[in-house]
Amino acid sequence: MAELGPGNLARAALIILLLPRSLEQCGNINLSKPVVLLGDPVTASCAISQECLHVDRDSEILWKLDAEFQTGGRQQRLPDGSQESTITLPPLDRPRALLFCGLLWGNHLQILDQAELRAGYPPPTPHNLSCFMNITTNNLTCQWDPGPDTSLPTNFTLKSIRMRNHCQSPEAPLPDCIPEAGHSRCTIPRKHLQLYQNMSLWVQAENTLGTSKSVPLCLMPSDVAKLEPPTLRALEPHPEGAPRQPGCLQLRWEVSKSSLYVEQKCELRYQPRRVAANWTVVGPLFSKTLRHELCGLLASTAYALQMRCVRSPLPGHWSSWSASLELTTAERAPVIRLDTWWRRQRQRDPGTGAVQLFWKPVPLEEDSGQIQGYVVSWRPPGQDVAAITLCNTSALGCTFHLPWHVREVGLLAYNSAGTSAPTSVVFLDSRGPPLARLHTLAQDPHSLWVGWEPPSPQPWGYVIEWGLGPPSPSGSNNSWRMEPNGSITGTLLQENIRPFQLYEIIVTPLYQDTRGPSQHIFAYSQETAPSRAPQLRLRLIGKTWAHLEWMPEPPELGKSPLTHYTIFWTNAQGQSSSSRLNASARDCVLQGLEPASLYHVHLSAASQAGTANSTSLTLMTLALEELTLYIVLGFSGFLLFFICLCTSCWFYCKPNRKNPLWPTVPDPAHSSLGSWVPPIMTEEIFQMPSLREASMAPITKIIVMEEEEKQPGPCEPTDSSEDCSLPTLVQTYVLQGDPQSPATQLQPQPSSSDPILYGQVLGSPSVPGPGHYLRYDSTQPLLECFTPSPKSYENLWFQASPLGTPESLVPSQEDDCVFGPLLDFPLLQGLRIHGVEGLGGL
């Protein structure tokens, strides 16, 4: 509903002030028909008075049927100034509805009038009118069938009139009989009736859509009299009379006091209680005797009996059936055939043996009598004594002891009415031919077919035994039956057959005076699923894995073979995983587990017949150790450091860089040192802390010699006065200067004629006096010849030349013992000495 704004609210208030005292005086709905046939249309008009149209004289009149707005109305102004709207509604599909008309004021529908619409059907014609007079009260009660519902209030009236000449001439009407609401019967009291005069009766139905009448019924009240039902009683037998016959019942009845002197006939019906049978009607029975004997019933059976009566020979109605009387028929002696079977077992006493006797009653008639028990007896032959009772039981078998020479016993059934004909049980020897072949087939889970090939000669019958096979005890809860037809080759066993069980079936042929040997066979009714799954065991467990194993269950009889295993594991968060394994698997390793986590594991064994689950196994994976954690973190840090170090080395040692941090030093054993020249020839100052003494002169020159890359000539050992030829000196790298001076100056290159000695010379050219020689103190021989290296105090070259005298840098042939090692020394091979500046001072 839309809310009213400030303007609309003021307008609505003004309209209300201008309206008459009651809104009901503003509008008025007129219907063409207040009640219509269900499915017919309805025409309605709504007029709005002039007093209600002060504010808006052109307001539209709106229609609403229940909760739905209706369109299509035609609106017009009447001569008196009022507005009228006429609308034709669609066919009504419901028995009742409410119609509203009103005006739309400020987005709000103001209802001015409403009317109720009703729809239904005319009343159908009542039928099946019948009446009866109660012989006790003499009131006439009539009942009828009203027909289908009309969806409208319908009134029924029972009308009657006295008639003459077989209902041809009306005489005087009787007061109408109005039934109670919702009932379709009505009773006319005795005071309005003439019991021996005809009257006509009919039922009239009326509603707003019409009226209907039933077919008139002409009757005389005395002709429709209805008796009260009789009362049934059991007839007690006379003590001195004959006993009751089996299958018979004796009963009597008493009529009501109101019909005590009325001639009547009755009907008796009976029904057995233990079976769902229909009623059986016996009659007519006349009231002169008031007793009856009912025979031909089942012995020892409870019956329900009922009786009803009617006037005879006068016309009238049957009374209602009386209350039920329950009686039980007398017993009769059993009329049966007893099929028997036995087993004899030897005992410790060689003279006697235990006999297991089984029997099965076969009724010979429809009602063979109830059986209360069985008696097994033996009468010693040649003795005039009473039979010895071996067992008296209500079961279908018993065990007793007999001497081995006894070959026959008697068996009979009994009840309160007598005993059955005795059955002779003869213990036959097994001397007949056996069955040729025995085979079985499982038809379904609840039956087994057993077949055989009949022997020759053909037996007169067979005994078939079946029961659960091993490991069940032999003979426990076994079933058996006898087949008297010796020509059959098989039978279907359906008694006590359960699915998925192993059964042992035994068949024995029976001959006229003997029996054949028994043969047995095992068969399954149907295979079943495994009874249980193997139990899981934890073998090993780690941080992220677990090794599980199990021992397969031994094969079971009647169990379907396994097809596969399925292992399931679930963590604490409910996340499940599974793995399917072959039936031959014996263990499984669960991978991808979380460390220090709880898991629930179970195993499922499946076969074609079903599955079985093992009990759940709970396990906890190992947690990461502190040492392991440190090792992992340390290894990660070392790996990161190694990567950074390799990156730095590659960055600084890249060949195309102009200013490396250190010079490239090749391996002397695997490179040519002759091609190596320091990139910067700047004089460097070497400091020797071990020689930094006040009395010792600083190092002024360090000479590094490099000879040509050529094979030296042979060097033979000589004395100290002989000379060897020296190779050509090609390069000299000289670093000189005071180690304490702030800067070094390049020295002029000496000429090739200056003398040179392989070693280190200590001293300064500005300081007078002789220099000092410091040789290399390596123990490796410097000479390739067999001449040993000089001692630390020996200096053959300096001894051969006076101090301060420059010698030629080209050694003589006699000096090869001194300079010969330059040809073979690994570090000096290929060095070329270009200058020996500063040696002149030495």
Side-chain angles (χ1 to χ4, degrees), residues 262-283:
V262 177
E263 295 290 336
Q264 52 187 302
K265 63 181 179 180
C266 302
E267 289 182 346
L268 177 68
R269 66 178 184 178
Y270 61 90
Q271 181 187 42
R273 286 296 191 185
R274 64 181 181 182
V275 292
N278 296 326
W279 291 93
T280 302
V281 179
V282 177

Side-chain angles (χ1 to χ4, degrees), residues 752-796:
S752 60
S753 61
D754 295 336
I756 188 170
L757 180 66
Y758 175 68
Q760 295 181 351
V761 180
L762 305 179
S764 177
S766 61
V767 180
H772 298 276
Y773 171 75
L774 181 63
R775 72 178 300 276
Y776 183 69
D777 57 353
S778 175
T779 59
Q780 181 179 357
L782 300 179
L783 303 179
E784 192 177 40
C785 63
F786 295 99
T787 305
S789 299
K791 303 297 182 179
S792 60
Y793 54 86
E794 293 179 343
N795 197 333
L796 300 181

Side-chain angles (χ1 to χ4, degrees), residues 177-233:
C177 182
I178 308 299
E180 298 180 3
H183 289 77
S184 57
R185 60 186 300 167
C186 191
T187 299
I188 300 176
R190 171 69 178 83
K191 61 182 179 180
H192 300 310
L193 297 177
Q194 294 290 335
L195 298 181
Y196 300 100
Q197 183 179 1
N198 289 331
M199 58 185 304
S200 177
L201 302 100
W202 69 94
V203 179
Q204 177 177 304
E206 183 179 5
N207 62 16
T208 55
L209 294 181
T211 302
S212 63
K213 296 180 180 180
S214 66
V215 177
L217 177 64
C218 182
L219 56 84
M220 185 180 297
S222 60
D223 293 341
V224 292
K226 184 177 181 180
L227 303 178
E228 294 290 336
T231 303
L232 287 176
R233 308 287 185 186

Side-chain angles (χ1 to χ4, degrees), residues 616-808:
S616 180
L617 174 66
T618 303
L619 54 89
M620 173 75 76
T621 55
L622 301 180
L624 290 176
E625 299 178 359
E626 186 176 1
L627 179 58
T628 305
L629 184 61
Y630 289 159
I631 292 175
V632 172
L633 293 178
F635 179 76
S636 301
F638 175 76
L639 184 62
L640 181 62
F641 173 76
F642 180 74
I643 294 174
C644 295
L645 182 61
C646 293
T647 305
S648 302
C649 292
W650 175 82
F651 181 81
Y652 288 109
C653 297
K654 195 173 182 181
N656 58 359
R657 292 187 57 85
K658 296 181 179 180
N659 299 315
L661 297 179
W662 54 81
T664 303
V665 180
D667 187 1
H670 299 87
S671 62
S672 177
L673 297 181
S675 63
W676 175 68
V677 179
I680 301 177
M681 300 302 295
T682 307
E683 181 179 347
E684 299 181 12
I685 302 174
F686 293 87
Q687 298 180 4
M688 300 181 62
S690 61
L691 301 177
R692 296 283 302 274
E693 297 181 3
S695 60
M696 183 177 295
I699 299 174
T700 58
K701 294 174 184 169
I702 297 177
I703 301 173
V704 180
M705 295 188 304
E706 181 176 334
E707 61 183 356
E708 295 179 354
E709 295 180 1
K710 64 179 180 178
Q711 296 298 331
C715 180
E716 299 179 359
T718 57
D719 56 8
S720 60
S721 60
E722 295 179 351
D723 295 332
C724 296
S725 62
L726 297 174
T728 305
L729 301 177
V730 296
Q731 182 181 0
T732 302
Y733 178 47
V734 181
L735 300 178
Q736 69 177 10
D738 189 358
Q740 296 181 359
S741 63
T744 60
Q745 301 295 332
L746 291 176
Q747 300 298 329
Q749 298 293 333
S751 63
S752 60
S753 61
D754 295 336
I756 188 170
L757 180 66
Y758 175 68
Q760 295 181 351
V761 180
L762 305 179
S764 177
S766 61
V767 180
H772 298 276
Y773 171 75
L774 181 63
R775 72 178 300 276
Y776 183 69
D777 57 353
S778 175
T779 59
Q780 181 179 357
L782 300 179
L783 303 179
E784 192 177 40
C785 63
F786 295 99
T787 305
S789 299
K791 303 297 182 179
S792 60
Y793 54 86
E794 293 179 343
N795 197 333
L796 300 181
W797 186 71
F798 280 88
Q799 293 176 3
S801 300
L803 292 173
T805 305
E807 301 250 344
S808 175

Side-chain angles (χ1 to χ4, degrees), residues 277-463:
N278 296 326
W279 291 93
T280 302
V281 179
V282 177
L285 305 177
F286 295 95
S287 58
K288 294 180 179 180
T289 58
L290 298 179
R291 61 181 59 192
H292 180 70
E293 183 178 16
L294 184 64
C295 291
L297 306 179
L298 298 177
S300 187
T301 302
Y303 282 88
L305 300 99
Q306 293 180 344
M307 179 176 280
R308 66 176 182 175
C309 299
V310 66
R311 290 197 311 172
S312 178
L314 299 176
H317 286 280
W318 285 98
S319 68
S320 302
W321 289 103
S322 65
S324 295
L325 172 66
E326 186 169 318
L327 298 177
T328 302
T329 57
E331 287 187 331
R332 63 183 302 182
V335 183
I336 57 175
R337 183 187 80 237
L338 292 171
D339 292 337
T340 60
W341 185 241
W342 71 93
R343 295 191 187 97
R344 301 194 73 167
Q345 301 173 356
R346 287 189 177 273
Q347 302 293 324
R348 294 181 179 179
D349 186 358
T352 62
V355 179
Q356 279 186 300
L357 181 62
F358 308 97
W359 55 84
K360 185 174 294 185
V362 179
L364 298 178
E365 297 179 2
E366 181 180 358
D367 178 26
S368 298
Q370 299 294 322
I371 300 176
Q372 295 179 355
Y374 303 90
V375 174
V376 180
S377 60
W378 169 59
R379 186 187 299 274
Q383 299 182 15
D384 190 11
V385 295
I388 301 174
T389 300
L390 299 178
C391 61
N392 187 347
T393 178
S394 60
L396 296 178
C398 69
T399 302
F400 50 88
H401 294 270
L402 276 178
W404 278 104
H405 66 275
V406 176
R407 295 295 181 181
E408 184 178 357
V409 295
L411 175 65
L412 56 85
Y414 66 89
N415 59 15
S416 60
T419 62
S420 65
T423 300
S424 178
V425 181
V426 180
F427 305 127
L428 301 175
D429 293 330
S430 180
R431 296 192 303 266
L435 296 176
R437 179 174 172 267
L438 192 64
H439 59 276
T440 61
L441 177 64
Q443 297 281 358
D444 53 64
H446 298 280
S447 65
L448 278 172
W449 169 265
V450 55
W452 57 82
E453 293 182 4
S456 181
Q458 180 176 302
W460 69 265
Y462 302 92
V463 173

